[in-house]
Amino acid sequence: MSASLEPWAWALLALIALLVGSFLNVVIHRLPRGESIAFPGSHCPQCGHALRPWDNIPVLSWLLLLGRCRYCQSGISWRYPLVEILAALLALLAAWVIGWHGQLLPALVLLWALLALTLIDLETYLLPDWITKPGMLLGLLLNASAWLSPHFALASPLDAGLGLLLGYGVLRGFAELYLRLSGREGMGHGDFKLLGMIGAWLGWQDMFLALFLAALSGGLVAVGFLAAGKGRDYAIPFGPYLALGAAVMLLWPQVVMEQFLHLAAPG
Ligand SMILES: [Zn+2]
């Protein structure tokens, strides 16, 4: 891409990403409640009043309305603009790290899906099949495209297939072992499917490193909660850590691989 086009490309990407973030808000809010994503149109969850297009501009409308519904004055969660801003920041970060390359497209789709899954899991402790199952299929199709064109795939088709099987299977095996040993459910089935999806997108090698990062970051946070005296009953969903691990592996696979090898075999 020529240098003179670049500012426009960045601005356009940010704009598209804000609109995607606005759509993700709808997905995050409606999907777990079993509501349709398309109908009815955007409305205030409190008073049900339909929103006009100018009430629905990402971030800007929320700021102009000072976080309140125009019709009933009830507060609108700051989560809405936050999701829009995060969707845009992730997109800009991905474009910066990956560059204006065919792989940017699947990277954006994966990052936005992970963002939606993270927020749904934090709110409901569920990772909907509605996202993870089509996500697995899409990951396999994406990487199967390597047979036709090298520009979009993130992993080889074989690594992606193994990633799906191992991601789902290994985590499920761990969970059953944990259940036998402790008599408690450690993870939900949504976690296995999410890791299977991550494997289908990134391949089995990066899937395992994403799991490693998730266990590491999840463990650190759990220790933090225990140290703060809030341990035991404080249930933290694992999905957000898996999503974080996958995002890091998507953006910085080489860096993590090098650090991991260094950790495994110092010197
Ligand atoms: Zn309202």
Side-chain angles (χ1 to χ4, degrees), residues 155-174:
S156 82
L158 180 65
D159 289 347
L162 284 173
L164 172 61
L165 292 176
L166 292 173
Y168 183 81
V170 166
L171 207 52
R172 185 168 186 158
F174 268 129

Side-chain angles (χ1 to χ4, degrees), residues 44 46-47 69 71-72 74:
C44 167
Q46 287 303 319
C47 68
C69 169
Y71 307 100
C72 69
S74 66

